[in-house]
């Protein structure tokens, strides 16, 4: 079996979060899989709304292009809004998986309905739109926000982690859900312990997406270049974006 | 009645298209409305897929910020994919309307079902996603592509225009639709003549969006800053995006 | 710019409400727009269910016919159930807009989700059916009823107005909505003050519909007469309805 | 077993069609069921659009009121658009069933998907809206129109009947449907022979609705008066509608 | 009128419940209808999940085959999950109706929305899937479980019956529903008294399904054998299932 | 990394197909994964409808129980209807994945829309119901049947394989889909060559499900035992089913 290299792209520029995400990816990667955790050279330190997502999407594309040049086997977009997902699929030749879709897909395999626990209330609309686009509206029983910003997960205090835990417990008790999806790349390392403590699947999308990429590669499947995910037409991009050409 | 200034943003960098769009906007604007047609300083010359849209979205935000600083009364995003719409709503204090949503809304007011005629087949998926997000899936009877690139509308040959016309005639004959939505900002100036020739409403989103903005302003309504469309949190953006801060 | 005459039809026979509605319409109409507020000569004094709507629909058609004979530029149906809307579109040559659809369309332009505040609980089902028919089910976060009859809005006590205000405040606090749609023509004059007090868009359909008509007229768009909204077939109507022929 | 009286309301004023409908109703009624076939004293001779429906709805209510005064056991609204259905449910104390809903319900019990064959193309939108409101969009594989007016079914030439037959044969062959719903009260007497000739269920709503009423009566179920189908509030109706009070 | 024989199949092997169901069926059957209440010779004593349903489905098929050999006029599947419904329709030549679908169909005829009251929380997912498959998601306002096992309805204590009653009262008060659907065959005999006590339709699917079968028979309609409900292909079944051949 | 044992259950009793499926599973399994391909001891030789599925579901459960006793790491249900899936999830402690869901999930990761190519037209309804239940209705552009029975895939003539190939080519050309899902376990070994010939992802669910199980195991996720997928209640099963206890 040939070696697999998976580029895990943290769409924000927070180095601490890139490391958290890389750690979570490596913890579940197969023996023959190398994880390359990267983040954009330019962008936004955390992603907490559509504006942040629009900026992050360009950073994702910058890294997709780099990964493609390096010949990676697949790409993971490690932010729960899956920013730039379809654009990345156009640009990439290898498969691309977002952590929100990966976590949601996995959740439907182990429970009839799941709950989502994310960071800020203002990001709930993003999760709702993804549920609709991916087809999982009926599989999601409830969405929760801990009402702390994304970077609180990296402040070392443990407060955000404790709030995530409390919300997961509440969701288990009240939602009638069989599983919980963690709604932020920065929560990736919490899934395992919470799964054990709660006794139900608590799903991190980073790990889920890594396994999805490994699966697609093993199956010989990659983004279809027939139709609407074909490579972008070659065009003269303005200077600020010429690195994407 | 105070003067209204509407910033009409062509999300691509084609100057010819910016002029076409500006002309279409001015043709329907109220007496007291000034149209400022702009395009991003950096970006992509035409938008024909998700990759192009991701780049264009940043250009849209650049212009939204500029328009906000100039105190415009509202913003139109004049590309049929409505790129960056929700991000723009976060950034703007004035109302923001996309031409796809504007045209679709108007179409539902004059017909029970409409058809869409756009440029390239690969952009159909974008229209389909918007129909789903906006709630108009059941109102759209069919989607058509003339299979010419966006800039063919600006090559002066008239071929693209003739293909649009032919497709509209076919759509009227075969789809059972009462109206047609033109699926590209570059088709904006065709709507009036086609409406007269076909005898059914042929709707251009640029004009529709201008009237929507005028309407919102007259009603004293602007993007809600309560909840998920509130201003983006202030954050240190990397250099390439610092002009958006 | 030619003068626009908009016929605003209060589908019930309450003269006080016709005046309220006319006032709201004039408050937002463009300089060149004349508002003609009318109500049916025969009908029901308030509309609080499907039975009332069925009667009111005939009154709406009576007025549509009259307006068409007078050559008005467009018609507004100023009851939140949009009674007789598609029948009116068949009969009219000018565009017809209902206040429920107008308010809902506008709400989706300024917020990702909205709440509705209406009068009696028994009318909620009507709003729910409209949300489904218009495609806005996912855009509506919650529906509320103040549990007072429609005409309480015209009793001069201010009680109904205060209840509307209280419910709007509650909706803002609890629903996670960015905007509120007022679910009764009789609430039309409250929107402006509530928008200011609450700091979020509170939308009245009467004003919204007037602007929609103005927009359609400016765009040269009218109800499609191709297909299912074509004029009714000429038929011998019985005496009671012969005024509609 | 007490005697059941079912009022079958032909919403148009065509006496020939009332008789056709009455005959179809009697052909399937139980031994103890009396069928009273009526039509409005005032109205429209055939129903081929929303305008016609709006007028017919008032006639339906007139008859519902009369039937209620006579103490009938239930009411059938025998026009495929189910005009005035929810208004009639408010007004009636006995159960009310429309022939479109009855036929559609029955069809889902004998096939996974059905086709609809109706009269004029312009009425297809009405059927589509009912499919959506009743929840049967996914159960309907296709809709067909024979492109003849309703009263062609009563002209004695047999042409319309032959066109219905041809369309049913085509629908069986091409739609992948297991059953066919006849989309007009005037087709009621055709169902039996077509069922036999085609070898698949061809469903007439008049008969289906009669059996639904008998079933509801036998089960002791009637329109819920708790909530939004409660009796209309007593109100002073204008002269033209005072017979409905 | 020829005599009708309806085979009412209790999919579980509890004899007490078969008798309850048979009693409920006979209470509403027409004079000329004979009810044959049966249960599988092999199976599971109560059905409280998908595993139980899978076993019960084979028992249902065993009885369908027997009933078909006896020439019954129709079959009722008397468990609220409608286990084996489509398989039974393939095997049967007579019509087959499940009690969940029958009750839900009836509920939509007497109320705009209904609530469901069932036994165990773990069976709610089955009801939810049926609502989706049958098209009634929007017609169901809420689902409730009394949190007692199915056979508690047969323990003679009356506790389960009292809990059903309490939940129905609560549902009437809180859900805004006009009707209640009883979600278990074992609750069949409770509907009449609850309908009277609550003053709203409380619907038992056993009775509803019996009337549906009577209706289909009277209309000359049976399961379509054209297409996907045609008889199963003849195949060599293994010994354990050879009784189904 | 511990060794993984995946039980791949062919729900029919055709030994040839079990071998085909086992071969396809082994071709993509990771180095440390052992594939145990089994089929029920009792059942039906091929699955071509709901009746066949109902029988097969019991065979699936028989094997799930056996696999659980053997301590396998996960179970695959290798028939495109995913028969008995939720029942199997209740019974199993390890994860269970159906090949239809696995293929559909994978398809949405590599294309915006996919087509399905299956065997007999009568099984299309099963695929349609699964698309609805799993949430992928909008992701499926078209369904095709080659109109040959399942076992034609094992007759050695190659005719069925050629028909599958022809339909895939047609689907690529006409549907506007970016990927194709093979709709039968017996087609599992065709995916790789078709993917290469067609130049678009042609997806076999057997391989996809094996990778999904490996992924779930690596992530430490298994079927949730909190809520509606908890183990079946212990009950006295009749003799014919006592092996399932």
């Amino acid at each position: 079996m040939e070696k697999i290299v998976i580029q895990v792209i943290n769409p924000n520029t927070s180095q601490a979060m890139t490391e958290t995400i890389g750690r979570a990816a490596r913890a579940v990667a197969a023996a023959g899989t190398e994880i390359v955790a990267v983040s954009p050279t330019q962008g936004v330190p955390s992603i907490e709304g559509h504006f942040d997502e629009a900026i992050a999407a360009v950073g994702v594309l910058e890294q997709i292009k780099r990964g493609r040049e390096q010949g990676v086997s697949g790409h993971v977009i490690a932010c729960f809004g899956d920013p730039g997902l379809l654009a990345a699929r156009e640009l990439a030749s290898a498969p691309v998986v977002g952590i929100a879709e990966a976590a949601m897909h996995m959740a439907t395999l182990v429970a009839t309905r799941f709950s989502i626990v994310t960071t800020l209330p203002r990001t709930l609309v993003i999760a709702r739109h993804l549920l609709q686009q991916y087809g999982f509206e009926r599989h999601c029983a409830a969405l929760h926000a801990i009402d702390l910003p994304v970077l609180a997960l990296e402040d070392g205090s443990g407060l955000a982690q404790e709030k995530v835990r409390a919300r997961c417990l509440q969701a288990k008790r009240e939602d009638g859900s069989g599983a919980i999806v963690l709604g932020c790349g920065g929560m990736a390392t919490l899934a395992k312990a919470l799964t054990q403590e709660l006794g139900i699947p608590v799903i991190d999308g980073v790990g889920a997406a890594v396994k999805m990429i490994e699966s697609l590669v093993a199956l010989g499947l990659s983004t279809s270049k027939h139709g609407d995910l074909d490579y972008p037409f070659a065009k003269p991009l303005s200077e600020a974006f010429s690195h994407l050409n």
Side-chain angles (χ1 to χ4, degrees), chain A residues 53-77:
Chain A
E53 277 205 339
I55 291 174
V58 175
V60 166
L61 296 177
E62 165 207 310
Q63 291 302 314
I64 292 280
K65 176 155 181 281
R66 188 167 301 187
R68 181 176 153 194
E69 287 162 0
Q70 294 164 348
V72 302
S73 318
H75 315 260
V76 169
I77 300 179

Side-chain angles (χ1 to χ4, degrees), chain A residues 117-136:
Chain A
V117 174
T118 186
T119 53
L120 287 170
R122 74 179 295 165
T123 67
L124 292 176
V125 65
I126 295 175
R128 247 184 240 117
H129 285 171
L130 293 182
L131 287 167
Q132 186 181 348
Q133 186 180 334
Y134 298 155
F136 299 134

Side-chain angles (χ1 to χ4, degrees), chain A residues 8 16-28 35-38 188 206:
Chain A
V8 179
M17 192 165 296
T18 307
E19 279 160 28
T20 299
I21 288 167
R23 217 162 35 239
R26 278 178 208 104
V28 301
I35 299 295
V36 181
V38 298
V206 176

Side-chain angles (χ1 to χ4, degrees), chain A residues 10-214:
Chain A
N10 169 21
N12 73 37
T13 57
S14 156
Q15 202 48 40
M17 192 165 296
T18 307
E19 279 160 28
T20 299
I21 288 167
R23 217 162 35 239
R26 278 178 208 104
V28 301
T33 298
E34 180 188 345
I35 299 295
V36 181
V38 298
S39 58
T41 58
Q42 297 282 336
V44 61
S46 63
I47 301 172
E48 296 159 326
H50 302 96
F51 176 84
D52 295 348
E53 277 205 339
I55 291 174
V58 175
V60 166
L61 296 177
E62 165 207 310
Q63 291 302 314
I64 292 280
K65 176 155 181 281
R66 188 167 301 187
R68 181 176 153 194
E69 287 162 0
Q70 294 164 348
V72 302
S73 318
H75 315 260
V76 169
I77 300 179
C79 168
F80 198 73
D82 294 353
L85 179 62
L86 292 179
R89 285 202 176 126
E90 289 183 359
L91 189 57
S93 52
V96 184
V97 174
I99 66 169
E101 63 177 349
M104 292 175 186
H105 281 277
M106 288 294 181
T108 67
L109 300 181
V110 294
T112 61
R113 297 209 294 173
F114 58 84
S115 298
I116 295 176
V117 174
T118 186
T119 53
L120 287 170
R122 74 179 295 165
T123 67
L124 292 176
V125 65
I126 295 175
R128 247 184 240 117
H129 285 171
L130 293 182
L131 287 167
Q132 186 181 348
Q133 186 180 334
Y134 298 155
F136 299 134
E137 281 176 298
R138 289 188 181 89
H139 302 82
C140 179
L143 298 105
H144 306 275
I146 59 167
D147 211 353
L148 283 182
V150 167
L151 292 184
L153 287 158
E154 302 292 347
D155 71 4
S157 74
L159 173 63
Q161 283 76 2
E162 178 47 35
K163 282 215 169 190
V164 170
R165 181 182 162 275
R167 270 294 189 164
C168 287
L169 283 164
Q170 183 188 345
K172 178 185 174 185
R173 213 168 43 235
E174 297 175 4
D175 296 350
S177 291
I180 293 171
V181 163
L182 297 179
C184 179
M187 301 176 184
T189 48
L190 308 179
K192 197 166 185 180
L194 286 172
T195 296
Q196 289 191 317
E197 180 184 353
L198 273 76
I200 65 172
V202 178
I203 302 171
D204 149 51
V206 176
V210 165
K211 302 314 284 185
M212 288 288 198
I213 292 289
E214 289 178 350

